[in-house]
Amino acid sequence: MKTYKWIKSSILFGPLGIMLGLMSILSCDRSPLDTQDTDLEHLAAVEPMTAQALSSNIRKKVMHLNICGNVCWVATHPESGGVDSRGSTSRMTKVLAAIDSYTPHIITFNEICYSQYRAIRSSLIARGYGATYASTTTAGGCDNYDASWGTGFGNAIFFKGTSPASSTYFVLPNATGAEPRHLLYTDVPLDGKTIRVCTTHLSIDAAWRLKQIEYIVDKTSAWIAQGKPVIVTGDFNALPTAPEMGLMYSHSAGTGQFQECDESHNCATPLTFCRGGEYTFNETKKLDYIFFSAVHFGGMEGDAKSRFPNPISDHNTLQGSALWQ
């Protein structure tokens, strides 16, 4: 029987200061794919927020960005702020400006340093967001934040109008010695419904990427069968038309249970929607996705905001929204 490790932590903010909650790890028998590296901190932080009900006719807005926090800002755009591995210079300001412009309910990041996550978290808490994070590995370009988290590098989810929640990740199948890949998720209540929000960053190796998507589909299918709305975001490192991506799409020869937010761009005539979308990487490829479970959501809208001339990363910021079905 497949079981998994839950990673839980909560941080409570009060008028008397900050109190770090006890972190607990509950484990049981699990498959090899659900194990984690024991030499790294893979703990998630969840902020308490006030519950907020949204009208069912209000779009559920999601923003996703592979922030390339380890190298891209210094290596690719030194003219735009220099080293910001702790997120204290202009890049985090641009991230916040993008968030303020779109006002999403959910924000997800790939390739974010723990130090960058900590830097932006306080600003987003002030904007009404909770937060969760898990390292997948360490990265030499990340600021060595502290003795516990160090140069952690991984994924983050921010969520607006939620109560304190637990955060969990699965370790995805991958080649021995390759960079670990995770599926991070947390439950976010909107309109009195609980949405399971996930983010991931998949391998560049097609064979292992197929195994990773199969694993994600296995997990998400079970959740959808239980009646839970699911959103999956991330850098899949694959084009929409790649064979393995057909496991996600519910249309266009796909066998999956999801629609992607930006499926009305770059479609061949006379199609009005397809496995397409605007470019999200180097203005040449769509690699980043926001998937909504098709049985729960409809009316998809998506937009890849160009990284030029004011870039945040080598990836574009992807914005997507949907309505309840």
Side-chain angles (χ1 to χ4, degrees):
M1 179 180 71
K2 288 185 178 180
T3 53
Y4 45 84
K5 177 167 287 186
W6 295 84
I7 308 298
K8 297 183 177 179
S9 73
S10 61
I11 297 177
L12 306 179
F13 287 80
L16 299 179
I18 300 174
M19 178 178 67
L20 178 63
L22 295 176
M23 295 181 177
S24 62
I25 300 176
L26 307 179
S27 60
C28 51
D29 294 337
R30 59 187 185 275
S31 73
L33 299 184
D34 294 321
T35 60
Q36 67 177 36
D37 297 329
T38 57
D39 60 331
L40 300 177
E41 292 288 342
H42 293 285
L43 304 178
V46 180
E47 314 300 344
M49 302 302 304
T50 302
Q52 174 183 350
L54 298 173
S55 171
S56 60
N57 62 0
I58 294 178
R59 288 193 161 273
K60 281 59 182 173
K61 298 196 294 184
V62 182
M63 175 181 286
H64 174 74
L65 176 63
N66 180 331
I67 203 167
C68 193
N70 180 35
V71 294
C72 285
W73 199 244
V74 177
T76 312
H77 307 297
E79 74 284 358
S80 301
V83 176
D84 72 335
S85 63
R86 183 163 282 192
S88 58
T89 59
S90 61
R91 179 150 63 151
M92 289 300 111
T93 300
K94 294 174 183 178
V95 171
L96 290 171
I99 291 169
D100 289 341
S101 175
Y102 190 55
T103 62
H105 302 109
I106 296 162
I107 310 156
T108 58
F109 292 102
N110 299 152
E111 293 193 21
I112 186 169
C113 298
Y114 176 70
S115 48
Q116 293 166 338
Y117 162 76
R118 285 295 299 264
I120 196 173
R121 187 179 66 177
S122 59
S123 296
L124 289 179
I125 288 172
R127 287 163 168 79
Y129 289 90
T132 182
Y133 166 90
S135 294
T136 57
T137 186
T138 57
C142 293
D143 181 77
N144 192 358
Y145 186 81
D146 58 30
S148 297
W149 295 91
T151 56
F153 181 66
N155 303 306
I157 300 172
F158 291 87
F159 38 91
K160 193 163 189 177
T162 66
S163 304
S166 64
S167 175
T168 309
Y169 73 87
F170 293 114
V171 179
L172 301 179
N174 208 359
T176 302
E179 178 183 337
R181 306 289 175 169
H182 288 180
L183 177 70
L184 173 67
Y185 69 90
T186 192
D187 287 339
V188 176
L190 291 175
D191 292 347
K193 300 179 183 180
T194 299
I195 303 173
R196 183 147 289 177
V197 178
C198 317
T199 193
T200 191
H201 182 203
L202 301 187
S203 173
I204 61 174
D205 181 279
W208 283 105
R209 186 167 61 243
L210 172 60
K211 294 179 185 295
Q212 292 161 5
I213 293 177
E214 288 175 339
Y215 188 90
I216 291 170
V217 167
D218 179 63
K219 296 297 183 185
T220 56
S221 295
W223 299 332
I224 293 170
Q226 295 166 3
K228 182 164 291 188
V230 178
I231 297 173
V232 181
T233 76
D235 177 358
F236 280 65
N237 268 316
L239 299 178
T241 53
E244 63 270 25
M245 294 301 293
L247 298 177
M248 295 295 296
Y249 283 92
S250 64
H251 58 82
S252 306
T255 60
Q257 299 191 63
F258 292 92
Q259 286 185 260
E260 206 272 327
C261 70
D262 193 16
E263 55 187 26
S264 61
H265 292 106
N266 293 335
C267 296
T269 306
L271 297 177
T272 57
F273 70 95
C274 62
R275 284 162 58 180
E278 296 177 306
Y279 300 142
T280 66
F281 178 71
N282 279 340
E283 310 303 318
T284 62
K285 299 177 182 178
K286 178 175 173 63
L287 301 181
D288 300 271
Y289 299 84
I290 299 172
F291 285 106
F292 295 86
S293 52
V295 70
H296 300 110
F297 298 96
M300 310 298 162
E301 290 184 357
D303 186 18
K305 307 300 287 187
S306 176
R307 64 191 182 95
F308 297 107
N310 193 29
I312 295 173
S313 170
D314 59 347
H315 287 249
N316 293 342
T317 303
L318 180 61
Q319 300 176 175
S321 66
L323 299 168
W324 292 126
Q325 286 278 48

